[in-house]
Amino acid sequence: MDYDIAEPHADAIIQSARSIGYDLPTAIADIMDNSIAAGASNIWLAFFWDGERSWISIRDDGSGMNEKTLVNAMRLGSLSPLAYRSDRDLGRFGLGLKTASFSQCKRLIVRTKAENAPACTRCWDLDYVTESREWRLFKEISELSESHLAEFNPKSHGTIVLWEDMDRLVAHNQTENRMQQDRFYQRVDQVIEHNSMVFHKFLERPNGGLTCWANGNKVSPWNPFLPREAATQGLPEEHLHYNGQTVDVFPYILPHQSRLKPEIFKLAGGSRGWNDLQGFYVYRNGRMLVAGDWLGLGLQKEEHCKLARIELNITTAMDMDWQIDVKKSRARPPAAIRDDLRRIASLTRTKAVEVYRSRGKVLTRARSDEVVFLWDTLRRHGKNRFIINRDYPAVATVRRLCGEHTWEYFDALLRLIEETLPVSCANENPDTSRQVQGQASTLNDLSQLSIICHLLFKVLVASGNSKGHAIELLATMAPFNQYPELLATLEDGEGDNQSDDR
Ligand SMILES: Nc1ncnc2c1ncn2[C@@H]1O[C@H](COP(=O)(O)OP(=O)(O)O)[C@@H](O)[C@H]1O
Ligand SMILES: [Mg+2]
């Protein structure tokens, strides 16, 4: 049969390979996967700021590669996705090293040494590939690049991956620019947070585990299930079978905030916050792929379910069924076990709501030092003046909702109220402390207070607070702090209806 060879254009393919959608943390995690698969006990990450010449390296003491393996590893598609992968392997497409690197940089250098073999080096320079339109993989590197590899000095074996010319991260950045430098190191912090999460199982293993260093500092594991907290509840584990495979599921209810030390509570909420971190955590061979997701099972992230976190373990043999993507940041459960997962999720959520509710009652009584009062007194010329506290959450929120164009009217109204406050009213109150309960504490008519409470709840939610947070805010606002039973009626979002019933 007659045919043409229609090879892909190097420049076009290379550019597409840059756009798979990694960010810095997921890209570095993909490089670290290779180190772990190569049996590394240590991974050293180096982030070096130098404006647009900044560079990043990922170095390991894994098995390394000989020259032939290295050249193949640098090839796009070094191993077919259909090939068999061992249980230790974290790869799949034979792309990660290249796609993750090219998503962040234009020059990728790998130096590696296998036992009883000399070290060898290869370099992809994307500008050169684009210009020459050929897959020319360099064997030599510049003196400057050589200096960035100085730390690589393995006695027996290991690998270093070096990223230079990071146009996506530091294009046109200047070494002296403090803001740009800060931004660079903020990104580094995100990398560390991500790694401490996705590799926590490796970092936690006492023997034969992994130690990871970021600019010389040890990265500590971040375990989403708080296994060391006595108040963490493990629900019965389940083992779901399909197609001769087994998926292991371990549901957890995390402790309520009131049962955790503030620093543990804060840490367990990470930068995404507790609400966003609820859901399934999917691990593949111990490496976390998905963190806090209801996996498209038709369940929403709700404030009341935020204590539910479920561990789910799969193996590389299930990659196709779970639609693992190149970035290894997505997994979708196969149809055969979706119903089971929905059942487990619903049960875990129900239990999580119970814990949230039962403890929530306690929480609605804010500590006295947390209570915020609507009226403040200001002492001026020896006299007390009553002023409205602009930091009272409802005042601050309504002012913000007014928007820039109308908040001066709102301010004028507040000043008017302050200026025209009946003198007798002010004088009658002998309390000269800075914080004054005002008339509200004498409100006997609970139904009036209830209407105001529901309206303010609605305002707080409308301005972007979750319902749970809105209730927490109200619990700090005098006089509502004294009426937990009123706040309890706000749960489930009933407040929206009642305030309309006025
Ligand atoms: N740090 C490393 N140590 C040893 N071998 C590596 C390392 N990084 C990459 N390799 C080799 O390069 C190959 C290609 O890596 P990659 O492009 O990430 O694809 P995948 O991980 O899907 O196989 C790996 O299968 C492995 O053989
Ligand atoms: Mg890989």
Side-chain angles (χ1 to χ4, degrees):
M1 208 186 293
D2 200 12
Y3 58 81
D4 293 312
I5 298 272
E7 280 184 348
H9 290 305
D11 51 334
I13 291 287
I14 283 274
Q15 289 308 327
S16 328
R18 303 202 71 190
S19 339
I20 290 195
Y22 288 94
D23 55 14
L24 185 65
T26 49
I28 290 187
D30 213 346
I31 303 296
M32 290 174 62
D33 279 347
N34 290 338
S35 302
I36 294 172
S41 311
N42 290 282
I43 299 179
W44 297 270
L45 306 174
F47 304 89
F48 190 87
W49 166 254
D50 187 10
E52 60 185 350
R53 287 176 305 280
S54 301
W55 53 267
I56 292 178
S57 72
I58 300 108
R59 178 163 64 93
D60 68 54
D61 56 1
S63 59
M65 293 172 266
N66 62 31
E67 192 156 14
K68 194 166 155 235
T69 319
L70 172 62
V71 173
N72 190 47
M74 294 295 267
R75 195 190 297 275
L76 255 99
S78 47
L79 188 66
S80 161
L82 302 177
Y84 166 77
R85 298 271 181 168
S86 82
D87 271 0
R88 209 179 66 175
D89 202 342
L90 300 174
R92 169 52 62 192
F93 294 91
L95 287 173
L97 171 63
K98 288 73 62 172
T99 49
S101 302
F102 297 159
S103 75
Q104 304 300 316
C105 74
K106 290 207 286 180
R107 196 175 311 111
L108 159 66
I109 295 170
V110 181
R111 176 166 291 172
T112 181
K113 180 180 168 347
E115 203 170 359
N116 302 323
C120 47
T121 311
R122 288 295 184 274
C123 165
W124 277 124
D125 187 322
L126 298 196
D127 282 343
Y128 189 78
V129 173
T130 308
E131 200 183 298
S132 67
R133 306 184 81 190
E134 274 190 335
W135 299 103
R136 288 190 204 169
L137 180 64
F138 289 121
K139 296 184 182 178
E140 272 149 33
I141 58 173
S142 73
E143 260 178 49
L144 183 64
S145 304
E146 193 64 50
S147 70
H148 300 159
L149 297 176
E151 295 271 310
F152 182 73
N153 208 358
K155 282 193 197 70
S156 173
H157 47 78
T159 301
I160 185 167
V161 174
L162 171 64
W163 293 348
E164 292 177 342
D165 200 353
M166 297 189 290
D167 60 335
R168 301 255 161 99
L169 197 63
V170 291
H172 311 301
N173 279 14
Q174 321 244 317
T175 310
E176 319 69 48
N177 187 319
R178 277 303 298 266
M179 248 168 56
Q180 292 172 341
Q181 182 178 8
D182 287 349
R183 205 173 51 217
F184 178 78
Y185 282 112
Q186 274 164 16
R187 304 297 301 279
V188 172
D189 289 342
Q190 290 166 1
V191 171
I192 295 170
E193 184 181 353
H194 186 71
N195 288 338
S196 62
M197 177 176 80
V198 298
F199 298 114
H200 79 88
K201 289 202 179 203
F202 299 93
L203 297 168
E204 277 165 355
R205 276 182 205 154
N207 303 315
L210 174 73
T211 310
C212 176
W213 311 85
N215 278 359
N217 299 315
K218 205 165 160 178
V219 175
S220 10
W222 183 88
N223 187 318
F225 311 110
L226 300 182
R228 291 193 186 164
E229 293 299 322
T232 294
Q233 295 178 43
L235 300 186
E237 58 188 71
E238 300 219 22
H239 305 280
L240 309 176
H241 306 284
Y242 77 97
N243 270 354
Q245 312 279 0
T246 307
V247 176
D248 301 317
V249 188
F250 305 92
Y252 294 92
I253 313 294
L254 269 65
H256 186 270
Q257 176 174 4
S258 58
R259 306 284 296 272
L260 291 173
K261 287 195 187 130
E263 62 273 20
I264 305 272
F265 175 79
K266 189 159 180 278
L267 191 68
S271 57
R272 285 166 52 188
W274 275 79
N275 194 43
D276 197 36
L277 287 171
Q278 64 185 275
F280 285 97
Y281 287 73
V282 181
Y283 296 80
R284 169 175 173 268
N285 291 356
R287 194 270 214 209
M288 192 192 292
L289 298 181
V290 173
D293 194 301
W294 290 115
L295 302 179
L297 295 170
L299 304 164
Q300 301 302 318
K301 288 190 173 170
E302 319 248 11
E303 174 71 15
H304 294 162
C305 304
K306 71 179 180 186
L307 305 179
R309 296 186 184 177
I310 307 175
E311 173 178 350
L312 190 155
N313 293 293
I314 63 172
T315 63
T316 33
M318 306 177 200
D319 281 355
M320 295 302 158
D321 310 337
W322 282 76
Q323 302 173 39
I324 305 300
D325 66 339
V326 173
K327 297 194 303 273
K328 287 178 249 170
S329 58
R330 190 199 62 194
R332 281 279 167 261
I337 60 165
R338 288 176 71 87
D339 285 345
D340 274 321
L341 291 180
R342 200 175 291 113
R343 172 181 55 77
I344 297 171
S346 301
L347 189 76
T348 313
R349 284 163 62 104
T350 307
K351 293 265 179 213
V353 171
E354 277 171 25
V355 174
Y356 179 88
R357 285 261 163 83
S358 59
R359 291 287 144 195
K361 296 274 190 303
V362 177
L363 183 77
T364 49
R365 278 190 199 279
R367 291 202 317 266
S368 59
D369 60 339
E370 287 172 350
V371 177
V372 189
F373 295 85
L374 176 61
W375 288 99
D376 264 1
T377 51
L378 192 70
R379 203 164 167 80
R380 198 188 272 168
H381 309 307
K383 281 188 183 162
N384 284 329
R385 223 169 74 81
F386 287 80
I387 54 166
I388 292 173
N389 179 3
R390 305 302 197 264
D391 294 328
Y392 188 76
V395 173
T397 306
V398 173
R399 186 176 190 274
R400 208 169 46 246
L401 281 180
C402 286
E404 227 170 302
H405 301 297
T406 36
W407 69 36
E408 61 177 313
Y409 304 127
F410 181 69
D411 288 341
L413 179 66
L414 295 187
R415 281 204 305 278
L416 181 69
I417 296 172
E418 290 167 348
E419 295 300 333
T420 58
L421 191 69
V423 181
S424 62
C425 177
N427 283 348
E428 265 169 29
N429 196 333
D431 190 349
T432 49
S433 70
R434 246 181 62 75
Q435 293 165 334
V436 184
Q437 284 275 11
Q439 296 212 63
S441 60
T442 60
L443 263 181
N444 295 327
D445 187 351
L446 202 59
S447 67
Q448 283 304 313
L449 199 60
S450 167
I451 290 170
I452 301 172
C453 181
H454 281 94
L455 266 176
L456 291 183
F457 176 65
K458 204 170 172 181
V459 167
L460 291 170
V461 172
S463 72
N465 293 291
S466 69
K467 288 183 175 167
H469 190 232
I471 294 171
E472 282 167 10
L473 277 176
L474 280 163
T476 64
M477 285 162 58
F480 305 107
N481 62 313
Q482 295 174 26
Y483 298 92
E485 66 279 14
L486 198 64
L487 299 181
T489 66
L490 297 172
E491 294 187 34
D492 291 334
E494 288 162 20
D496 305 64
N497 304 330
Q498 292 194 11
S499 54
D500 287 335
D501 291 346
R502 261 169 309 145

